[in-house]
Amino acid sequence: MSAPDAANTWPLLIAEVANCHGGDEGYLRDLVARLCDGAADAVKFQPIVADEVVSFRHPMREVFESLEFADGVLADAAAAVRSAGKIALFDVYGPRSLAIAMAAGAEGLKIHAMDADDAGLLGAALGTGLPVLLSVGGATEVELAAAVETAAGR
């Protein structure tokens, strides 16, 4: 069974893995298997790279580092999603998480609201040719206008 097309499947029911796995590969595999048996059309992953989401001195730095997976773990999870006929989506926060998403065969990307004004990241995500969801909660009108300009210029 092939996965539906992320660009043409609307409405799309997305099961968000987020980071409830706590960095535990076994839990991630079990969760993905259960989600693949469910009604969701897609499963969305958040490849956390501590360097992209918190500063070196941030008090929660170790927590974010504990959520990072070794290379290939999310690719295996995304492959399981696609094998179940579902869409594999990824949040991206910078160049490393974008590379992880692309290596995993992402079929769509999401840019978090905290990065709505990151023209480089938005341009890189749009440059993949994949559908890109830009979260805008908390973004200013100026930030949104810049994001639209970036998207229009791709």
Side-chain angles (χ1 to χ4, degrees), residues 3-6 9 12 41-44 81-82 85-89 107-108:
D5 178 3
T9 304
L12 189 66
D41 302 303
V43 177
K44 187 164 71 67
V81 167
R82 285 189 299 278
K86 299 181 186 291
I87 300 167
L89 304 173
E107 297 165 271

Side-chain angles (χ1 to χ4, degrees), residues 90-140:
F90 283 78
D91 287 2
V92 294
Y93 303 95
R96 178 72 181 125
S97 57
L98 179 57
I100 292 167
M102 297 310 293
E107 297 165 271
L109 305 170
K110 177 188 166 203
I111 306 292
H112 192 277
M114 71 180 180
D115 293 314
D117 63 345
D118 186 339
L121 178 59
L122 181 56
L126 291 167
T128 67
L130 295 174
V132 176
L133 175 65
L134 176 63
S135 182
V136 297
T140 67

Side-chain angles (χ1 to χ4, degrees), residues 7-97:
N8 297 308
T9 304
W10 297 100
L12 189 66
L13 179 60
I14 302 170
E16 184 161 356
V17 171
N19 290 292
C20 67
H21 50 71
D24 181 325
E25 285 183 46
Y27 185 86
L28 175 67
R29 278 191 300 276
D30 291 345
L31 177 61
V32 168
R34 289 174 187 244
L35 294 174
C36 287
D37 286 339
D41 302 303
V43 177
K44 187 164 71 67
F45 300 96
Q46 290 180 338
I48 293 297
V49 177
D51 287 339
E52 293 179 346
V53 295
V54 294
S55 71
F56 180 73
R57 294 188 177 137
H58 192 282
M60 299 282 293
R61 174 72 183 209
E62 288 182 16
V63 171
F64 285 96
E65 288 173 344
S66 74
L67 297 173
E68 294 181 5
F69 283 116
D71 288 347
V73 171
L74 291 177
D76 291 344
V81 167
R82 285 189 299 278
S83 291
K86 299 181 186 291
I87 300 167
L89 304 173
F90 283 78
D91 287 2
V92 294
Y93 303 95
R96 178 72 181 125
S97 57

